[in-house]
RNA sequence: GGGCCGGUAGCUCAGUGGUAGAGCAUCUGACUUUUAAUCAGGUGGUCGCGGGUUCGAUCCCCGCCCGGCUCACCA
């Protein structure tokens, strides 16, 4: 901006500008002595006024509370924030494109459900006035997507929000984005292979490579390890007396090493305590106990286990998949088992969903299904320590009276 | 919910039982040079909120609010 290159009124306007004002300029492009691209201004147009003090340019805005509450200010002050959300958009676009290429149909199923299910979680409850009924914000789309499989939509996927009424942490936001996909005539082995392909391609599309920096770790999405849950317990056992596979299979051994009351729950408990934080590189853990898998098909050789797996990376669960249980009578028994757990005080146990049973009674083909947490995958691919860094408006406690309306009123009266 | 840490100017941060500080931003003047940072001067604070101790509290004590990390819970 040079005084002799612009009209007098433009220059006096320029002198009234504050940091953060939005202006339009006309002129020619040039490079400054330091090589920065700039505009030699010949005409100046005022577009919008910034009334607030701006964060300091050098440090940016570091107060995390303000960054999350006033994301608009975070975006203005910290350019890398916009970058993270661009990467998030690439993650979603990559998944979507990969499913479309594989012949999956994208669908949208109810977020407000009269019965909730498909996961172990407490729901948010709301109310519909005209019907005068309670509705639950969904904790998962699973049971609706499988109704579609029963109806002959052989490959479906949905990318949408789930809502779980539970604690908030660096890895949990009460609403989060879940990708779920189901493929008829596939099983959990097929889903494992598909998962490896999907993750590798998403890493490529979002970051340009399959090896990703995460904190001081390097995660390689080009290869995913696979362990049975019992193998993982033997492999990653902390401390002396590493168990043998024989012991890991023995219900008495399992119950001796856990407070839980069933062998299956004990195995999961031991796994979580000994293995979870060791699963830094992308890893598939498979064969989950039937007690914790009410919607998964039992293993043909070992009825205590199900054909189910989870994907871990950086010690964090990012996906959950199984061969879907498609026997309506066995599903009835599983629901009844869940009802018993509910009566014993498990608030997260499944409800009986009779319409889902009815759908299975029409014959659901053998199906592989999976859910992948979009937020968590995005954390890994944007090197974010907290899920709040990949959710534009994470849930925070309301801050109370801001006083800006009063401030504006007083300003306009002057 | 437990533990630890934090909340001081618009932003980034110092600080002390005795009138509250710096840098940047903002304002005034000079400069027309450039990519956080030209010079000089000025404005700016219920020190998160409420009690208590004290002659006196931003500081010490208690309670509360908001946030962060972490454990628990939870996928």
């Amino acid at each position: 901006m040079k005084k002799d290159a612009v009209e007098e009124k433009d220059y006096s306007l320029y002198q009234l500008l504050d940091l953060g004002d939005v202006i339009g300029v006309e002129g020619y492009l040039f490079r400054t002595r330091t090589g920065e691209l700039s505009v030699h201004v010949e005409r100046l147009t005022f577009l919008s006024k910034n009334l607030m003090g701006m964060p300091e340019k050098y440090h940016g805005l570091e107060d995390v509370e303000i960054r999350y509450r006033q994301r608009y200010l975070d975006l203005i002050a910290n350019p890398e924030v916009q970058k993270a959300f661009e990467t998030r958009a690439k993650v979603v676009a990559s998944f979507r494109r990969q499913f479309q290429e594989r012949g999956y149909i994208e669908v949208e199923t109810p977020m407000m459900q009269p019965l909730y299910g498909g996961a172990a979680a407490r729901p948010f409850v709301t109310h519909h006035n005209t019907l005068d009924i309670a509705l639950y914000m969904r904790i998962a789309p699973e049971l609706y997507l499988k109704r579609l499989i029963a109806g002959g939509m052989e490959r479906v996927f949905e990318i949408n929000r789930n809502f779980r009424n539970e604690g908030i942490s660096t890895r949990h936001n009460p609403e989060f984005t879940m990708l779920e996909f189901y493929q008829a005539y596939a099983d959990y082995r097929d889903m494992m292979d598909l998962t490896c392909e999907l993750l590798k391609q998403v890493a490529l599309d979002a970051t340009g490579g399959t090896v990703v920096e995460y904190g001081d770790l390097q995660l390689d999405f080009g290869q995913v390890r696979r362990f049975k849950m019992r193998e993982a317990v033997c492999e990653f056992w902390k401390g002396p007396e590493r168990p043998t596979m024989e012991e890991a299979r023995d219900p008495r051994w399992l119950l001796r090493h856990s407070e839980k009351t069933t062998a299956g729950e004990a195995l999961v408990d031991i796994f979580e305590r000994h293995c979870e934080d060791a699963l830094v590189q992308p890893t598939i853990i498979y064969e989950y106990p039937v007690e914790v898998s009410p919607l998964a098909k039992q293993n043909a050789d070992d009825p205590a286990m199900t054909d189910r797996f989870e994907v871990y990376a950086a010690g964090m669960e990012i996906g959950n998949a199984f061969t879907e249980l498609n026997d309506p009578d066995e599903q009835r028994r599983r629901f009844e088992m869940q009802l018993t757990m509910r009566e014993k005080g498990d608030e997260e146990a499944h409800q009986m969903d009779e319409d889902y049973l009815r759908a299975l009674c029409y014959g659901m083909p053998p199906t592989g299904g999976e859910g992948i947490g979009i937020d968590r995958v995005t954390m890994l691919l944007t090197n974010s320590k907290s899920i709040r860094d990949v959710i534009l408006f994470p849930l925070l406690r309301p801050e109370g009276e801001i006083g800006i309306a009063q401030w504006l009123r007083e300003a306009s009266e002057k």
Side-chain angles (χ1 to χ4, degrees):
Chain A
M1 183 94 189
K2 281 199 160 107
K3 194 174 188 174
D4 44 4
V6 295
E7 288 182 28
E8 196 178 320
K9 70 172 174 55
D10 282 359
Y11 190 72
S12 49
L13 173 59
Y14 161 70
Q15 290 183 307
L16 288 173
L17 292 178
D18 292 320
L19 192 60
D21 289 349
V22 181
I23 55 167
V25 295
E26 287 175 47
Y28 59 85
L29 291 172
F30 72 106
R31 284 203 183 272
T32 66
R33 281 189 309 206
T34 50
E36 199 71 32
L37 196 59
S38 189
V39 182
H40 181 89
V41 179
E42 290 166 342
R43 286 193 57 191
L44 181 67
T45 316
F46 176 75
L47 297 176
S48 181
K49 186 67 191 168
N50 168 44
L51 300 173
M52 309 293 279
M54 293 300 276
E56 186 198 14
K57 192 172 176 184
Y58 184 60
H59 291 93
L61 180 68
E62 299 196 347
D63 183 321
V64 285
E65 184 168 352
I66 300 177
R67 289 189 49 219
Y68 297 147
R69 282 197 197 283
Q70 300 177 245
R71 185 66 88 181
Y72 38 90
L73 188 56
D74 189 28
L75 287 163
I76 293 169
N78 300 320
E80 69 279 4
V81 174
Q82 210 162 119
K83 190 88 169 50
F85 287 100
E86 283 168 19
T87 302
R88 182 180 173 117
K90 286 181 189 170
V91 168
V92 173
S94 174
F95 275 122
R96 186 168 272 133
R97 182 181 53 77
Q98 293 189 74
F99 283 111
Q100 286 164 348
E101 284 172 355
R102 286 172 170 81
Y104 281 73
I105 305 295
E106 180 166 9
V107 297
E108 293 177 85
T109 60
M111 299 246 206
M112 298 161 81
Q113 307 176 344
L115 286 174
Y116 61 94
R122 283 183 290 165
F124 291 93
V125 190
T126 185
H127 181 260
H128 186 270
N129 288 339
T130 305
L131 297 182
D132 190 24
I133 52 169
L135 287 173
Y136 302 97
M137 307 297 290
R138 75 176 186 193
I139 58 173
E142 171 150 354
L143 299 182
Y144 283 95
L145 291 172
K146 284 192 283 195
R147 284 171 169 91
L148 299 180
I149 296 285
M153 296 184 78
E154 295 184 354
R155 295 180 179 210
V156 293
F157 76 102
E158 177 164 8
I159 300 173
N160 230 321
R161 222 64 67 77
N162 285 352
F163 308 86
R164 298 187 184 175
N165 206 337
E166 57 195 28
I168 299 174
S169 79
T170 45
R171 295 186 294 279
H172 301 261
N173 193 62
E175 59 175 307
F176 61 99
T177 302
M178 182 74 118
L179 160 66
E180 285 206 12
F181 49 102
Y182 292 83
Q183 179 176 334
Y185 310 106
D187 65 12
Y188 79 128
R189 295 269 172 192
D190 300 313
M191 299 324 260
M192 283 188 203
D193 296 340
L194 177 55
T195 300
C196 295
E197 291 170 28
L198 290 170
L199 288 178
K200 183 177 180 178
Q201 190 61 45
V202 164
L204 272 170
D205 290 342
T207 70
T210 58
V211 179
V212 174
E213 300 279 340
Y214 188 70
D216 48 12
L217 307 170
Q218 289 200 324
L219 306 177
D220 185 357
F221 287 93
Q223 43 194 341
V224 179
R225 300 180 297 174
R226 302 182 189 190
F227 293 100
K228 290 185 184 179
M229 180 173 279
R230 286 168 174 150
E231 290 172 350
V233 166
C234 300
E235 174 79 20
F236 300 109
W237 183 261
K238 289 173 183 167
E241 298 176 38
R242 174 189 293 248
T244 62
M245 272 303 274
E246 289 299 307
E247 289 172 317
R249 251 192 285 272
D250 179 359
R252 287 165 302 174
W253 184 90
L254 291 169
L255 289 168
R256 266 207 306 279
H257 288 84
S258 170
E259 310 272 304
K260 301 287 182 184
T261 52
T262 67
E265 289 172 295
L267 174 60
V268 173
D269 177 47
I270 293 165
F271 165 78
E272 285 175 351
R273 282 187 286 117
H274 283 271
C275 309
E276 217 161 39
D277 54 2
L279 303 179
V280 170
Q281 288 304 318
T283 307
I284 282 173
I285 301 293
Y286 64 104
E287 288 194 1
Y288 274 64
V290 68
E291 294 94 322
V292 298
S293 314
L295 301 165
K297 183 175 261 180
Q298 273 163 300
N299 187 280
D301 302 322
D302 183 353
M305 305 302 274
T306 57
D307 289 344
R308 172 182 175 193
F309 70 88
E310 294 197 350
V311 194
Y312 286 85
M316 191 162 66
E317 182 202 335
I318 58 175
N320 177 22
F322 36 88
T323 306
E324 304 299 335
L325 176 59
N326 63 344
D327 173 344
D329 198 43
E330 173 62 15
Q331 185 65 71
R332 169 192 62 83
R333 281 192 289 275
R334 300 283 189 91
F335 277 145
E336 285 168 352
M337 197 196 295
Q338 292 286 312
L339 291 177
T340 308
M341 290 164 72
R342 177 170 285 269
E343 279 162 21
K344 286 182 187 164
D346 184 348
E347 288 185 77
E348 301 184 338
H350 266 80
Q351 299 174 292
M352 172 68 72
D353 189 335
E354 285 208 279
D355 178 67
Y356 177 65
L357 290 180
R358 179 166 59 184
L360 294 185
C361 286
Y362 284 95
M364 183 174 86
T367 298
E370 180 163 348
I372 292 179
I374 293 291
D375 312 272
R376 290 187 176 175
V377 170
T378 304
M379 285 171 67
L380 298 174
L381 299 181
T382 56
N383 197 3
S384 299
K385 259 183 73 185
S386 171
I387 199 167
R388 296 183 202 96
D389 293 324
V390 298
I391 293 175
L392 281 166
F393 301 100
L395 184 65
L396 298 178
R397 222 178 266 276
E399 64 181 316
E401 197 69 33
I402 297 172
I404 200 92
Q406 178 67 21
W407 182 79
L408 286 168
R409 201 175 300 123
E410 284 168 7
S412 81
E413 280 163 6
K414 279 179 194 164

